[in-house]
Amino acid sequence: MNKTDYFYMQRALFLAQKGRFSVSPNPRVGAVIVHDNKIIGEGYHRQYGEAHAEVNAINCVKDKTLLKKASIYVTLEPCSHYGNTPPCADLILQHNIPRVVIANKDPFEKVNGSGIERLSAKGVEVISGVLKEEAAKINRRFFTFHQKKRPYIILKWAETADGFIGRSSDDPNKADSWITSAASKQLVHLWRAEEDGILVGKNTALIDNPTLSTREVVGKNPSRILIDRNLEVANDFKILNDEATTFIFNAIKNEKKQLLNYFKIDFSSNEKVLVDILSELHHQNIQSIIVEGGSETLQSFIDLKLWDEARVFSAEKKFYKGIKAPDFRGNKISTISIQKDVLSIYHPS
């Protein structure tokens, strides 16, 4: 990898992140076109179902004759199949772009190297693997979805300085149960806007009556996912309102009613429950989820090693008794302070 390729791929990666809230279940992709060491066009995938990054980059090149002597930098292998849009590999060939620099090969089974093969077969110089780790991190949800056949799973909780995530039902201070700062709450709502789904168990729905929306920020509401074996959450609870599509996994019925989707699954073991849920979410094109509680639900994902990232807030507040935080081990990769809270990010150890 030369310094020039590194430089322009960095720009393409920056552009790719602009699609973080709008392109799922497609990947985040950026593209930069360079002629004579000058950027003559750039673009990114803006919206699911709309033009890909390569199309937007080529369309903004004013003098198309320059493309015959240009390089295009793309964060993910150009597609080679017809989906919502025509193949980007064919568009590159149509404009006779002689050099293509790629960060990652596309794991999607309808591409998975075929875009590179098509370009190479026509004499295009293809260079792969430039900033591949950085590009893979940006598209970790997309890669997990296609390689592991399940959503990317983010665990999230807040705990007090003495290790509790909630008060006990008999605590006289139960009304004062909020743990973190307003800034942390707003950040969580921003995270929700970035992911496809948010999952909670029945107890969290009954005790907290959460909306699970992005009301603190401007952004789409994620699909809500509720584990409610015996359908104990009544229809007037906020999680069943019409603000977002909701999946209810239960042991009683399969039914679709407006935005409510009931799926009957096997509750014979925690493993069976989670495997069935993740399989159905994959089928529903839910590429990523945040698991927000409660303690038993979070612990089930931890015990079965079904998680990719954990975001844990620690606050100064103390409860002295209550619902203990999950028993958890992971590799801490970063720590930041948000007002008086500490946010630690973990990956599986």
Side-chain angles (χ1 to χ4, degrees):
M1 178 178 65
N2 60 51
K3 291 182 178 179
T4 300
D5 289 344
Y6 179 95
F7 177 80
Y8 290 119
M9 188 60 77
Q10 278 189 316
R11 175 62 182 172
L13 290 170
F14 171 79
L15 292 170
Q17 282 286 56
K18 288 178 173 286
R20 61 188 287 210
F21 297 108
S22 56
V23 301
S24 182
N26 279 356
R28 305 169 188 182
V29 183
V32 173
I33 301 173
V34 178
H35 174 266
D36 196 20
N37 208 32
K38 179 182 178 182
I39 294 176
I40 60 172
E42 61 181 28
Y44 64 96
H45 185 32
R46 295 173 177 271
Q47 184 73 44
Y48 174 72
E50 296 183 3
H52 289 186
E54 300 93 322
V55 177
N56 290 328
I58 289 171
N59 284 344
C60 79
V61 175
K62 293 180 180 179
D63 184 356
K64 298 292 194 293
T65 65
L66 298 179
L67 292 172
K68 295 180 180 180
K69 296 181 180 180
S71 296
I72 183 169
Y73 294 82
V74 191
T75 58
L76 192 69
E77 174 186 5
C79 62
S80 55
H81 68 292
Y82 281 88
N84 291 323
T85 60
C88 291
D90 287 357
L91 184 67
I92 291 170
L93 292 172
Q94 176 188 327
H95 287 280
N96 297 306
I97 300 175
R99 186 170 183 265
V100 180
V101 183
I102 300 166
N104 292 137
K105 187 171 77 170
D106 191 335
F108 181 42
E109 59 186 3
K110 291 184 178 180
V111 185
N112 198 23
S114 62
I116 294 173
E117 291 174 4
R118 184 176 299 187
L119 293 169
S120 298
K122 295 295 184 179
V124 176
E125 179 187 4
V126 180
I127 298 172
S128 299
V130 177
L131 295 182
K132 61 181 181 181
E133 289 85 7
E134 292 86 344
K137 183 178 180 180
I138 286 174
N139 275 320
R140 59 193 183 276
R141 297 159 180 81
F142 181 77
F143 276 52
T144 297
F145 184 79
H146 288 286
Q147 292 172 342
K148 297 186 178 182
K149 308 301 180 186
R150 65 161 174 79
Y152 185 86
I153 301 168
I154 300 167
L155 308 181
K156 192 282 295 181
W157 70 86
E159 60 185 51
T160 61
D162 50 352
F164 296 100
I165 67 169
R167 293 191 185 275
S168 55
S169 58
D170 60 348
D171 191 327
N173 298 310
K174 188 165 177 58
D176 179 25
S177 60
W178 195 260
I179 295 173
T180 55
S181 67
S184 295
K185 180 180 180 181
Q186 189 173 42
L187 177 59
V188 169
H189 284 226
L190 184 66
W191 290 345
R192 290 177 179 178
E194 188 175 5
E195 311 306 335
D196 288 348
I198 177 169
L199 184 149
V200 298
K202 173 258 301 182
N203 288 338
T204 296
L206 290 175
I207 295 169
D208 297 339
N209 193 17
T211 305
L212 304 181
S213 67
T214 58
R215 61 194 178 277
E216 296 285 333
V217 299
V218 176
K220 66 174 178 61
N221 288 327
S223 294
R224 298 171 299 197
I225 303 149
L226 172 64
I227 305 175
D228 184 9
R229 179 174 184 168
N230 297 314
L231 298 179
E232 296 175 58
V233 179
N235 289 335
D236 59 350
F237 274 69
K238 294 175 183 178
I239 196 171
L240 301 180
N241 66 23
D242 60 0
E243 291 185 12
T245 298
T246 305
F247 302 101
I248 306 100
F249 290 92
N250 66 95
I252 297 172
K253 67 178 181 178
N254 289 305
E255 182 179 279
K256 179 174 175 58
K257 185 167 58 176
Q258 297 179 324
L259 295 179
L260 302 180
N261 300 269
Y262 294 84
F263 295 100
K264 183 178 179 180
I265 60 171
D266 184 351
F267 278 80
S268 58
S269 69
N270 283 342
E271 182 174 9
K272 184 64 176 169
V273 168
L274 295 191
V275 168
D276 284 357
I277 288 173
L278 296 176
S279 177
E280 183 58 42
L281 293 177
H282 183 269
H283 178 71
Q284 296 292 331
N285 260 347
I286 301 295
Q287 192 177 102
S288 61
I289 62 172
I290 300 179
V291 181
E292 289 206 10
S295 182
E296 291 182 13
T297 301
L298 286 162
Q299 195 65 57
S300 293
F301 279 91
I302 292 167
D303 291 345
L304 293 169
K305 296 180 171 58
L306 284 172
W307 63 283
D308 301 289
E309 187 177 329
R311 302 174 182 178
V312 183
F313 290 96
S314 299
E316 293 183 337
K317 197 170 191 175
K318 291 184 178 182
F319 283 174
Y320 301 102
K321 63 177 182 177
I323 302 168
K324 292 291 291 181
D327 183 12
F328 169 75
R329 296 290 183 276
N331 290 323
K332 185 184 294 187
I333 62 170
S334 66
T335 302
I336 62 172
S337 296
I338 304 171
Q339 292 183 0
K340 294 183 178 181
D341 303 331
V342 175
L343 169 62
S344 298
I345 309 294
Y346 298 84
H347 283 173
S349 54

